[in-house]
Amino acid sequence: MNNTSEKLLVIDVAPKMDRFDEVIKYFAKLSAIFEAFGATRIQKLRTREQLMGDTAVKATAIVNFPDAEAIKNVFSSAEFAALENAHEILYETFSVRICDGH
C-alpha cells in the first residue's frame, strides 16, 4: 500500500539535444541532491509517442519524496544553487511540479 502523504516531484523536460552529454551529467548531479534530501525513488520516462497536445516534452522524471517540504528544501538548497541554473541552459523546457501520491 502506498503512503498517501507521499509527494511526487514531477519534472517534464525537453533537453537541448546538442548538449545531451551535459544534460546526462546535470541529471546525475540533480539525482544525488534529490537523494540527499530524502528521495526514495527516481523514475525516468522517455516519451515514446505524443498522442495528444502540442507539447515539446521529451522525458519525464517522477521522484518520490516523503513530503512537500523535502521537495521545497531541494530547490532552496545551496546544493541546487551550486548548479547555477544549468537547467536554463541545457533544456528547452524544464517544468517542475509537486503532485500527491496515491
Side-chain angles (χ1 to χ4, degrees), residues 53-72:
D54 186 28
T55 180
V57 172
K58 300 297 181 203
T60 299
I62 301 171
V63 187
N64 300 57
F65 279 91
D67 54 45
E69 193 64 29
I71 297 171
K72 292 176 183 177

Side-chain angles (χ1 to χ4, degrees), residues 23-80:
V23 167
I24 297 298
K25 291 174 186 172
Y26 174 78
F27 196 79
K29 291 176 185 176
L30 200 53
S31 294
I33 295 170
F34 293 156
E35 290 172 357
F37 280 83
T40 58
R41 182 175 183 206
I42 301 173
Q43 298 176 68
K44 295 180 250 176
L45 310 169
R46 185 174 302 154
T47 301
R48 177 185 182 120
E49 181 179 353
Q50 182 71 33
L51 297 177
M52 295 181 72
D54 186 28
T55 180
V57 172
K58 300 297 181 203
T60 299
I62 301 171
V63 187
N64 300 57
F65 279 91
D67 54 45
E69 193 64 29
I71 297 171
K72 292 176 183 177
N73 288 340
V74 165
F75 293 100
S76 64
S77 71
E79 294 88 343
F80 183 74

